[in-house]
Amino acid sequence: MKLQRMNRRALTLGALAVSGALALTACGSDDTSGGTKSTTGATAKAGNIDCGSAKGQLLANGSSAQANAIQAWTKAYTTECKDVQINYKPEGSGAGVTAFLQGQVAFAGSDSALKPEEVTQSKSVCKNSQAIDLPMVGGPIAIGYNVPGVDNLVLDAPTLAKIFDSKIKTWDDAAIKKLNPDAKLPSTKIQAFHRSDDSGTTDNLTKYLIAAAPDNWKYSGGKAWQAQGGQSAQGSSGLAQQVKQTAGAISYFELSYAKDGISTAALDTGASAPVKATIDNATAAISAAKVVGTGSDLSLKLDYTTKAEGAYPITLVTYEIVCEKGNKADTLPAVKSFLTYTASQDGQDSLKALDYAPIPSEINAKVRETVANLS
């Protein structure tokens, strides 16, 4: 869709007033249901936004991983398209998919593509059609830790699997020492935190453990945490907060939540050097992803066992889930207008400053084409 702009002007998010209907609160405080983290000071380019006939309230729910990106995009978009209110609740991928399949929201955010049975179920919501997955946000899942005196921790898949499965219990364990021969590892008890809610972040982490440490991670995986032991918290911000305030803690969350002094581990993947959780390293991994969806579905397959130099393997892609056809007439214009912006060059260029990885251009071109044809 060719993007047009009626009023061109530079925007800074600090000057934007956000509709009170925005579930990602204008003040940027944590949302207790889904883990929204403040993006105060973050900017998203408005670029060329075509509001078209978009108006009314757009309800959405899902991934807390993309919450910071959605918040920044919404601020930029609703300043241009003042007749639209976007209410995105970051209650987790599982909650988002459920809300979509029950016809409660216009689109959902999920860090995992729809399962075949969910696609089948979506046919009752998408009149004479079905739901499709549109990759919109990428990024690394950081392994955040709080071990006083240890600044450059290195872990590998087997060791990480044993930590999260309560098989390694202290930070001076021999397996951790072997990977960190120069570190002064304390005998502090490991406090491993996992998501309490159904989460695509959990799904992607466990896909990595299943693929890269099959002898040490015997669980089937999925959005719900399956290993025994450990402690839990809701949303990515909940996990990040626990790591920040708990000595000996370790957990997993998107890089955009690894702020305020939270250290992140590098991964020994078999490459010549341990790979850090950075946007560029995640982009290197996502760029090798293959589109495995059929028709207009653009779900991707990531290589969690990559040994490529500088490729960080624990990455995720957040999909916006929409009806290919049969969208509700009152929300279709806003859905197309908003997703056209988020998939635009300006929308994607904003992601890196927010600690997300843009979707590779070849894949993103297909996303734009698909959004333009939604009906």
Side-chain angles (χ1 to χ4, degrees), residues 290-329:
K290 305 296 183 183
V291 175
V292 294
T294 58
S296 296
D297 186 272
L298 298 175
S299 55
L300 304 175
K301 182 178 181 180
L302 299 168
D303 181 6
Y304 295 102
T305 62
T306 180
K307 296 181 180 180
E309 299 296 326
Y312 185 80
I314 317 180
T315 59
L316 62 74
V317 170
T318 295
Y319 301 93
E320 310 310 337
I321 295 171
V322 295
C323 291
E324 180 180 8
K325 298 178 181 179
N327 290 278
K328 294 180 180 178

Side-chain angles (χ1 to χ4, degrees), residues 64-257:
S64 65
Q66 70 167 355
N68 295 336
I70 291 285
Q71 184 175 22
W73 280 333
T74 296
K75 287 181 178 180
Y77 178 83
T78 55
T79 296
E80 294 296 298
C81 303
K82 299 182 184 299
D83 292 333
V84 180
Q85 294 177 333
I86 299 176
N87 186 328
Y88 180 85
K89 293 183 178 181
E91 295 181 330
S93 298
V97 171
T98 296
F100 180 84
L101 295 177
Q102 291 177 348
Q104 298 174 358
V105 294
F107 72 90
S110 176
D111 306 323
S112 301
L114 291 170
K115 298 176 181 179
E117 61 268 25
E118 291 170 335
V119 174
T120 298
Q121 188 177 347
S122 74
K123 294 179 180 179
S124 64
V125 178
C126 307
K127 187 176 180 180
N128 299 320
S129 184
Q130 64 185 41
I132 55 175
D133 302 285
L134 301 177
M136 198 68 71
V137 181
I141 300 173
I143 303 300
Y145 67 94
N146 181 347
V147 184
V150 180
D151 298 322
N152 297 295
L153 185 70
V154 176
L155 297 172
D156 61 11
T159 304
L160 197 59
K162 292 175 186 176
I163 287 173
F164 280 117
D165 199 24
S166 302
K167 297 296 192 298
I168 292 178
K169 300 180 183 297
T170 62
W171 282 108
D172 61 352
D173 186 272
I176 303 177
K177 282 185 175 180
K178 184 176 181 181
L179 292 165
N180 300 273
D182 299 325
K184 296 181 178 180
L185 295 164
S187 58
T188 306
K189 180 182 177 181
I190 294 175
Q191 306 282 352
F193 287 88
H194 57 266
R195 287 281 287 270
S196 60
D197 52 321
D198 285 1
S199 163
T201 311
T202 294
D203 190 18
N204 282 277
L205 172 73
T206 55
K207 283 179 179 176
Y208 163 73
L209 296 176
I210 290 167
D215 294 335
N216 305 106
W217 194 259
K218 299 297 185 179
Y219 304 98
S220 60
K223 293 182 177 125
W225 187 259
Q226 296 172 326
Q228 301 300 307
Q231 302 178 64
S232 64
Q234 186 167 3
S236 293
S237 67
L239 294 181
Q241 184 62 30
Q242 291 297 331
V243 170
K244 184 178 179 181
Q245 67 187 20
T246 307
I250 185 171
S251 192
Y252 57 96
F253 33 78
E254 297 70 40
L255 184 62
S256 61
Y257 291 88

